[in-house]
Amino acid sequence: MHGRERDSVIILLVDDDEADRAITRRALAQCGIESALRVVENGEQALEYLQHVGPFTDRTRSPEPHLILLDLNMPGASGLEVLEQLRQSDELKHIPVVLWTTSESEQDIRRAYELGANSYVVKPTNLQDCIARIRMLEAYWLDTVKLPAR
């Protein structure tokens, strides 16, 4: 996906940790894909965004994402609960979901894939490593695979 097509890809970042959101934003900016980013701070907001309810009813400001970066451990609806609801929704189950988390728990990894995660990535805690991971995600999700149209 190159040129104009790539510029129109929407990524939804779901993360409750302000520092993690900031480092991910900076890494995405370093990779030149920050304009495609939408951010919500927890699982409940993610579901509202994806269902276009509450503050997310305007579909031009809250377009359906092509890819979701989903934190695992959040208060309220966890990443696994959000993933489970997405995969049960006929309207949303086609959206690729990358678990973007600090958890290296084998139980979390196994459960994420059982629920239909497309990838499970342990997010780094420093900017340089985060940029490297984002570049890998970018190469795969934005340059290699064909994402479903919105």
Side-chain angles (χ1 to χ4, degrees):
M1 182 175 301
H2 300 283
R4 290 177 46 195
E5 268 185 69
R6 188 173 207 256
D7 293 340
S8 66
V9 172
I10 303 297
I11 298 169
L12 178 64
L13 173 63
V14 183
D15 199 322
D16 67 310
D17 187 277
E18 186 176 342
D20 287 349
R21 285 192 311 270
I23 197 170
T24 302
R25 276 184 202 258
R26 287 177 40 206
L28 286 163
Q30 288 284 325
C31 295
I33 50 179
E34 77 278 11
S35 64
L37 185 65
R38 303 297 190 275
V39 180
V40 294
E41 298 179 6
N42 58 54
E44 287 86 5
Q45 285 182 1
L47 293 170
E48 288 178 351
Y49 179 102
L50 293 163
Q51 296 165 352
H52 301 289
V53 297
F56 306 104
T57 56
D58 182 352
R59 290 175 187 254
T60 59
R61 294 183 64 207
S62 306
E64 181 179 295
H66 294 89
L67 179 67
I68 299 171
L69 298 179
L70 180 63
D71 187 24
L72 184 68
N73 298 310
M74 296 180 288
S78 73
L80 292 177
E81 291 168 324
V82 171
L83 178 61
E84 186 170 25
Q85 288 193 40
L86 289 176
R87 294 306 182 233
Q88 292 174 357
S89 167
D90 287 337
E91 295 81 29
L92 302 171
K93 65 183 175 185
H94 66 279
I95 302 171
V97 177
V98 174
L99 267 287
W100 181 247
T101 180
T102 56
S103 173
E104 295 186 56
S105 160
E106 183 60 36
Q107 181 180 353
D108 288 341
I109 295 167
R110 181 174 304 281
R111 186 70 180 135
Y113 283 114
E114 287 171 354
L115 291 173
N118 297 91
S119 297
Y120 191 103
V121 177
V122 176
K123 63 183 166 185
T125 55
N126 69 64
L127 182 59
Q128 290 308 312
D129 290 343
C130 191
I131 290 169
R133 292 274 164 82
I134 292 293
R135 288 202 191 285
M136 285 185 241
L137 289 173
E138 174 188 26
Y140 184 73
W141 288 106
L142 303 184
D143 293 335
T144 304
V145 301
K146 179 89 171 132
L147 293 172
R150 291 189 282 127

